[in-house]
Amino acid sequence: MNKTLLLSFFTIAIFFQGCISVTKELPALTTYTLSLDQETPYHKTNLNQNVSITINEPKALSSVNTKLISYSKNFQNENYALSKWSDSPTKMLQNAMVQYLSNSDDFEFVSSSRLNLHTHYKILSELDSFEQKFIADKSYATLQIRVFLINSKELYSKQFQYTQECKESNAKGSVEALNVITNKFVRDLHIWIAKSLKE
């Protein structure tokens, strides 16, 4: 084997060895999801259990509805490089609404729009904010969603807006705070639906 060929093999070996070591040193990608607090008691609504509801997936701009965990700082929108959501925010919020209202035992049944079942009422919504915001030396999670409760004769609407200070100014802190306000939202949604249907 001549010296030129030997040198080429040696260079290639060093290159691939360097690539492998860099790959090994990269941190793993962390995936988060929204989860409901099972220990929180349900609000007593005394609703008629013959009512059924379909919950559609909320509508949102693509900049809001991303699996990347986002934050805004100095009027710039950024994403955490090694953290992501398990699903889009609109899908996770739809699942949280369906799960919470189903577990409340206040309804005949609660359906997602995928099943295409006939129900007495339908919930449509628009997600405007689902992110972490840095203000001065602190960060806050924000959730803003407009909800419509409709059937063929009635229309109710309400704007839900929440801000929660993050314990940590990173992706984990953002997720924990968004979980807190998502739990607040589904409880408030339940109370609002009950109040609307009793009017």
Side-chain angles (χ1 to χ4, degrees):
M1 184 180 293
N2 62 44
K3 290 182 180 180
T4 303
L5 190 58
L6 184 62
L7 184 61
S8 298
F9 278 127
F10 183 69
T11 303
I12 292 170
I14 292 174
F15 174 77
F16 280 110
Q17 184 178 359
C19 288
I20 292 169
S21 65
V22 168
T23 304
K24 286 182 178 179
E25 291 171 7
L26 283 175
L29 181 68
T30 304
T31 302
Y32 297 96
T33 193
L34 294 176
S35 58
L36 296 183
D37 182 0
Q38 302 297 332
E39 297 180 1
T40 303
Y42 283 87
H43 182 79
K44 300 295 183 182
T45 62
N46 300 317
L47 266 180
N48 182 349
Q49 293 185 347
N50 292 327
V51 173
S52 57
I53 294 182
T54 294
I55 300 179
N56 284 35
E57 181 181 349
K59 301 295 184 182
L61 295 175
S62 57
S63 57
V64 175
N65 198 31
T66 172
K67 286 188 177 182
L68 300 174
I69 298 177
S70 60
Y71 63 92
S72 62
K73 191 172 186 179
N74 299 326
F75 305 102
Q76 297 290 326
N77 294 322
E78 303 287 347
N79 302 308
Y80 288 107
L82 296 171
S83 301
K84 69 171 186 174
W85 292 109
S86 61
D87 210 332
S88 64
T90 54
K91 281 287 187 186
M92 292 189 296
L93 286 169
Q94 181 191 28
N95 291 338
M97 287 187 278
V98 170
Q99 182 182 340
Y100 188 89
L101 295 180
S102 295
N103 292 342
S104 73
D105 294 327
D106 268 345
F107 305 96
E108 182 181 3
F109 65 87
V110 180
S111 168
S112 70
S113 53
R114 294 189 299 272
L115 299 178
N116 198 28
L117 297 175
H118 173 74
T119 55
H120 298 97
Y121 288 88
K122 182 180 294 186
I123 287 182
L124 307 176
S125 54
E126 296 174 336
L127 180 63
D128 295 322
S129 177
F130 186 83
E131 65 172 348
Q132 181 185 36
K133 293 183 177 180
F134 284 81
I135 302 174
D137 59 344
K138 295 182 179 180
S139 64
Y140 303 84
T142 65
L143 170 61
Q144 184 173 323
I145 185 169
R146 186 180 301 105
V147 179
F148 302 88
L149 176 66
I150 65 172
N151 65 10
S152 58
K153 299 178 181 179
E154 299 168 300
L155 168 63
Y156 305 93
S157 65
K158 183 175 175 61
Q159 177 92 355
F160 295 87
Q161 188 168 347
Y162 304 89
T163 300
Q164 176 74 31
E165 184 176 347
C166 302
K167 293 181 179 179
E168 301 177 51
S169 291
N170 52 26
K172 181 183 176 184
S174 175
V175 170
E176 289 177 350
L178 284 166
N179 263 302
V180 169
I181 55 183
T182 296
N183 277 271
K184 288 180 181 178
F185 162 61
V186 292
R187 286 194 292 272
D188 290 347
L189 176 69
H190 180 211
I191 295 168
W192 172 70
I193 291 172
K195 182 180 177 182
S196 299
L197 296 184
K198 287 178 181 178
E199 291 179 349

